[in-house]
Amino acid sequence: MRIFVTGASGWIGSALVPDLVEAGHHVIGLARSDASADALAAAGAGAVRGTIDDLDVLRDAAASSDGVIHLAFKHDLAFGGDFQGAAEADRRAVDALGDALAGTDRPFVLASGLLGVAPGRVATERDMPAAEGSPVAVRAATAKATLALASRGVRSSVVRLSPTCHGDGDNGFMAALVATARAKGVSGHLGDGAHRWPAVHRLDAARLFRLAAEQAPPGSVLHGAAEEGVTLRDIAEVIGRHLDVPVVSVAPEDAAEHFGWLGGVLGLDAAASSTLTRVLLDWEPVQPGLLADLDKGHYFQTPAATG
């Protein structure tokens, strides 16, 4: 298949593109810069220049492809405090891509998230988040709109990714926790640290997106969770051991001061099952789990000093 990938040079995309190429697909990636276009060429893929705000570019690229995998999201905008704006930009992009694919029976795979799907219990693929009145509701609505494309002749699916999508080079939640522990001199967890987060290695996640494009039935909800739930306390203990700093409990009221932007999500208990996904697509994660990956040490490397 000729597959158009947004976010193709990002954290998941840079693992997905080689996986797709190796599987025999022809990949065209959305590239915001010359560096992104060069990275795609080095991976054996083509490039179309633009951003997710260039809706005509998205429509044309989708219309000329056999399928679309939409990974791009304005994480810089979201982490900068405007999650609403990032989610709304994502919705506009999804609507443009969906319109271009309507009536074709071609695959459209959307990257979404597992945080907040079913707080306090193990979420399954059958659960739908209820986050009305919050910015997260916009992204949840986008996922529902993607699934609804199945009624318009699109083989649509949504991959809900673990908040911890780990691996060498990760600059996400785990890297932020390590940086906070290094800066504060303590490795903190919120309250008793029993909050659970699902986790998946980026290479296992990339393969799931490929399988979704190749096989997922219309309207499928898929869970990118290799591990159902790793406690924040266990994570803090590994970080503390590697940095040789104490492991401490941080009171919920001090979360924002201690963890910064992370403080708003560390209190979520977000365990999630991927049993239905594994059965549906014969997806079996093979990469190291989160704690084993942390123990490899790459999260704790610091840039060499230059003089």
Side-chain angles (χ1 to χ4, degrees):
M1 289 192 293
R2 177 186 170 97
I3 300 180
F4 175 51
V5 181
T6 72
S9 58
W11 176 234
I12 301 296
S14 58
L16 171 62
V17 169
D19 189 82
L20 287 168
V21 171
E22 185 177 350
H25 299 292
H26 177 50
V27 181
I28 303 296
L30 184 68
R32 295 186 297 172
S33 65
D34 290 339
S36 293
D38 291 345
L40 287 167
V48 57
R49 292 298 295 270
T51 73
I52 61 170
D53 292 321
D54 297 318
L55 302 184
D56 287 339
V57 171
L58 298 183
R59 291 188 191 96
D60 290 345
S64 61
S65 298
D66 299 313
V68 174
I69 300 176
H70 178 45
L71 302 175
F73 190 77
K74 292 185 174 183
H75 293 288
D76 52 349
L77 187 63
F79 291 156
D82 189 10
F83 189 95
Q84 181 84 18
E88 289 173 351
D90 186 52
R91 177 57 184 269
R92 290 190 292 270
V94 165
D95 286 345
L97 293 165
D99 287 344
L101 293 172
T104 66
D105 292 321
R106 297 172 185 168
F108 177 35
V109 187
L110 172 73
S112 191
L114 276 169
L115 274 181
V117 170
R121 61 178 176 82
V122 178
T124 76
E125 294 86 342
R126 294 191 178 97
D127 287 311
M128 287 295 166
E132 298 301 326
S134 77
V136 176
V138 179
R139 201 168 192 194
T142 299
K144 290 180 181 179
T146 299
L147 298 174
L149 288 170
S151 66
R152 298 177 59 198
V154 180
R155 185 161 60 81
S156 60
S157 60
V158 172
V159 176
R160 294 173 178 162
L161 277 173
S162 297
T164 305
C165 191
H166 57 90
D168 194 354
D170 176 18
N171 287 313
F173 288 128
M174 288 303 105
L177 284 174
V178 170
T180 298
R182 183 175 277 123
K184 299 286 187 178
V186 296
S187 179
H189 56 74
L190 204 61
D192 63 5
H195 307 93
R196 301 161 297 170
W197 277 13
V200 65
H201 194 283
R202 68 188 286 255
L203 297 180
D204 287 323
R207 190 170 75 260
L208 177 57
F209 278 100
R210 172 174 61 81
L211 292 173
E214 292 172 343
Q215 305 174 26
S220 298
V221 174
L222 308 166
H223 278 188
E227 295 177 278
E228 188 173 280
V230 183
T231 69
L232 275 295
R233 182 177 56 248
D234 286 344
I235 293 168
E237 287 174 351
V238 176
I239 293 173
R241 185 172 72 250
H242 277 268
L243 295 181
D244 194 23
V245 298
V247 177
V248 301
S249 171
V250 177
E253 59 268 24
D254 297 327
E257 179 182 352
H258 185 90
F259 294 107
W261 61 270
L262 263 176
V265 295
L266 287 179
L268 291 174
D269 186 48
S273 165
S274 59
T275 300
L276 300 179
T277 297
R278 295 178 192 230
V279 172
L280 182 66
L281 299 182
D282 194 24
W283 176 64
E284 189 59 42
V286 297
Q287 299 298 322
L290 174 58
L291 300 182
D293 200 15
L294 283 168
D295 262 331
K296 287 186 172 184
H298 51 79
Y299 277 96
F300 307 98
Q301 295 171 359
T302 54
T306 57

